[in-house]
Amino acid sequence: MATLLLIDSSVSPEGVSASRAVTTAFRKTWEEQHPGGTVIHRDLAVDPLPHLDGVAASAGFSDPATHTPEQQSAFAVRTKLAEEIEQADAIVIGAPMYNFTIPSTLKAWLDQTIIMGRTAGETPSAKGTPVVVVASRGGSYAPGTPRESFEYVQNYLESVLTGAFGFEVHFIVPELTMAPSNPAMAELIPLFEASREKVQQEAVTKAKELAERVAA
C-alpha cells in the first residue's frame, strides 16, 4: 500500500495556516486515490523534535556497537525518522517563511534526518522520492520583486533536499498570505485570492499525479 509522509511546521492551526490548507488538500486528494494507504503525519509545531546536539550528532558518525546509552537513545530518534522517510512513496512538507527562512522546527527535522551513509551521502536510501514543498509566505519574493534577495526558503530547501537526500523536489508557493490582515497590503488581496486558488489546484493536481505514479 502507498505511504505518504506529511510534515507540517506552521505554528498556526488548520483553518488559519496557509501552508496547512495546501498540505491538507494534498493529503485529501492522495487519500482519495489510495484509500487503503498509510499517512505518516508529523506535526512539528504540536510535537517538536529535539534539536540536534553533540550526543546525537556523534552517534551518527560512530559504530552503533560503541554507542553509550545516551547515544543509543538519541540515535533511536534519528533512526525512526529515517525509517519514516524510507517508507514513504511521496513526501509533502509545509514550510512557511518565518523571518525570511524556514521554521526552526523544520530545521531540527532536517538536521535529525540527514544521516551520512544512510539518508545522505553517495547513495541516499530514499533517493528519487518525490517531495512537494508548500513554501507559503506573507508577501512575495518571486524573481523581479523588491524582496527577491530575501528568499531563503526555496533556495535552501532545493539545495538540501536534492543535495543531501537526492529527492525529486517540487514547490507550491502560496504568496501574499498577509494581505487580508494587513491594511497596507489591501490592494494586493485580489492577487492573494488568485494565488490561494492556484495553489489549491496545484496541490490537487500534484497529489493525483504522484498517486498515479505510485500505483502504476
Side-chain angles (χ1 to χ4, degrees), residues 11 23 106 127-128 159 178:
V11 297
T23 61
L106 181 55
K127 182 178 181 179
S159 297
M178 292 296 294

mmCIF file of all heavy atoms in Angstrom, residues 11 23 106 127-128 159 178:
data_model
loop_
_atom_site.group_PDB
_atom_site.id
_atom_site.type_symbol
_atom_site.label_atom_id
_atom_site.label_comp_id
_atom_site.label_asym_id
_atom_site.label_seq_id
_atom_site.Cartn_x
_atom_site.Cartn_y
_atom_site.Cartn_z
ATOM 1 N N VAL A 11 3.117 27.263 12.826
ATOM 2 C CA VAL A 11 2.665 27.434 14.210
ATOM 3 C C VAL A 11 1.177 27.747 14.267
ATOM 4 O O VAL A 11 0.562 27.662 15.335
ATOM 5 C CB VAL A 11 3.456 28.557 14.926
ATOM 6 C CG1 VAL A 11 4.919 28.198 15.016
ATOM 7 C CG2 VAL A 11 3.249 29.904 14.232
ATOM 8 N N THR A 23 -1.312 21.586 2.352
ATOM 9 C CA THR A 23 -0.912 20.207 2.662
ATOM 10 C C THR A 23 -2.140 19.341 2.933
ATOM 11 O O THR A 23 -2.156 18.154 2.590
ATOM 12 C CB THR A 23 0.047 20.143 3.871
ATOM 13 O OG1 THR A 23 -0.592 20.677 5.042
ATOM 14 C CG2 THR A 23 1.333 20.903 3.586
ATOM 15 N N LEU A 106 11.352 22.801 11.588
ATOM 16 C CA LEU A 106 11.627 22.078 10.337
ATOM 17 C C LEU A 106 13.127 21.884 10.162
ATOM 18 O O LEU A 106 13.583 20.830 9.692
ATOM 19 C CB LEU A 106 11.039 22.838 9.154
ATOM 20 C CG LEU A 106 11.227 22.194 7.775
ATOM 21 C CD1 LEU A 106 10.695 20.767 7.741
ATOM 22 C CD2 LEU A 106 10.541 23.054 6.697
ATOM 23 N N LYS A 127 16.702 8.078 -2.231
ATOM 24 C CA LYS A 127 16.977 8.870 -3.432
ATOM 25 C C LYS A 127 15.855 8.709 -4.455
ATOM 26 O O LYS A 127 15.370 7.606 -4.689
ATOM 27 C CB LYS A 127 18.303 8.435 -4.049
ATOM 28 C CG LYS A 127 18.718 9.231 -5.279
ATOM 29 C CD LYS A 127 20.069 8.772 -5.801
ATOM 30 C CE LYS A 127 20.492 9.588 -7.019
ATOM 31 N NZ LYS A 127 21.827 9.168 -7.524
ATOM 32 N N GLY A 128 15.452 9.837 -5.045
ATOM 33 C CA GLY A 128 14.420 9.803 -6.065
ATOM 34 C C GLY A 128 13.002 9.943 -5.554
ATOM 35 O O GLY A 128 12.068 10.107 -6.344
ATOM 36 N N SER A 159 18.382 23.090 -2.263
ATOM 37 C CA SER A 159 19.759 22.601 -2.111
ATOM 38 C C SER A 159 19.847 21.402 -1.181
ATOM 39 O O SER A 159 20.483 20.396 -1.495
ATOM 40 C CB SER A 159 20.661 23.724 -1.596
ATOM 41 O OG SER A 159 20.735 24.783 -2.519
ATOM 42 N N MET A 178 -0.495 37.543 3.915
ATOM 43 C CA MET A 178 -0.785 38.571 4.920
ATOM 44 C C MET A 178 -1.710 39.662 4.382
ATOM 45 O O MET A 178 -2.146 40.528 5.150
ATOM 46 C CB MET A 178 0.525 39.194 5.403
ATOM 47 C CG MET A 178 1.424 38.262 6.209
ATOM 48 S SD MET A 178 0.647 37.757 7.756
ATOM 49 C CE MET A 178 0.568 39.326 8.623
#
